[in-house]
Amino acid sequence: QAEQLKAQNRIASVQAFENGFFNILQSFDQYNTQTTIPTSSKDKPPHAGQDAYKEIYNTLLRHSGSMHFTGTIYSTTDFRESVYPAFWKNFQTKLEPYFRLIQIICHKIESVNFENKEKYINLLKARLARDDLMLICIHCAADNTSARLIGYVQKFDILEYVD
């Protein structure tokens, strides 16, 4: 009977975790769907959802392209000190909650005491398109204040599918 009680407690623990986990994932999905970026033309609707993140990433690439290049390699210091801060200033209100939600999801997964955490992290990874992964990668490389996010990105191999 004690074993049955332990099994029931494990099941209840997993159910409680999954309830919270899927609620956070739903919040992440809703935030992503509702994210919009204005287009350059007033006649066009704003970029929304995944297209918004693609446009944010493309904007970063355009900012990077305007830097002084030495051959094909630009100064990492210049990127960290000038390009990325200017980019971040423009997109912080969109990206800060996005990165925070990723961090919260990872923390939730890390905090559980049962095996098979990989299936939960894979649910997060499945939601991240290439542009998302590149934004995460560049943010972690350029922003020194993101140590916690960097730790989760490394621990859970979030950038596994960056090519």
Side-chain angles (χ1 to χ4, degrees), residues 120-138:
Y120 301 107
I121 202 65
N122 284 338
L123 289 170
L124 172 61
K125 288 179 182 181
R127 286 166 163 71
L128 302 173
R130 182 184 181 281
D131 299 318
D132 298 305
L133 296 173
M134 294 306 295
L135 282 170
I136 293 166
C137 179
I138 292 168

Side-chain angles (χ1 to χ4, degrees), residues 2-106:
E3 288 300 315
Q4 284 181 330
L5 188 56
K6 281 183 182 181
Q8 286 177 335
N9 285 340
R10 274 194 304 268
I11 291 169
S13 176
V14 170
Q15 287 175 338
F17 165 79
E18 286 185 348
N19 185 41
F21 176 77
F22 287 114
N23 284 336
I24 295 169
L25 273 185
Q26 183 178 16
S27 295
F28 182 72
D29 292 342
Q30 285 175 335
Y31 181 79
N32 291 343
T33 301
Q34 294 170 358
T35 298
T36 60
I37 302 295
T39 59
S40 55
S41 169
K42 292 181 182 178
D43 299 335
K44 292 183 180 178
H47 299 283
Q50 191 57 46
D51 286 339
Y53 291 101
K54 185 174 188 151
E55 182 58 24
I56 292 170
Y57 175 63
N58 287 333
T59 300
L60 178 58
L61 291 180
R62 286 191 297 274
H63 282 296
S64 300
S66 66
M67 286 184 53
H68 171 62
F69 282 79
T70 309
T72 58
I73 301 173
Y74 59 85
S75 165
T76 304
T77 303
D78 288 344
F79 184 81
R80 281 189 183 155
E81 292 179 1
S82 62
V83 174
Y84 195 77
F87 164 79
W88 184 250
K89 185 177 179 183
N90 289 330
F91 292 101
Q92 182 176 3
T93 59
K94 304 289 183 184
L95 292 176
E96 193 169 46
Y98 173 78
F99 293 136
R100 191 176 310 114
L101 281 165
I102 291 172
Q103 198 170 298
I104 289 167
I105 292 167
C106 291

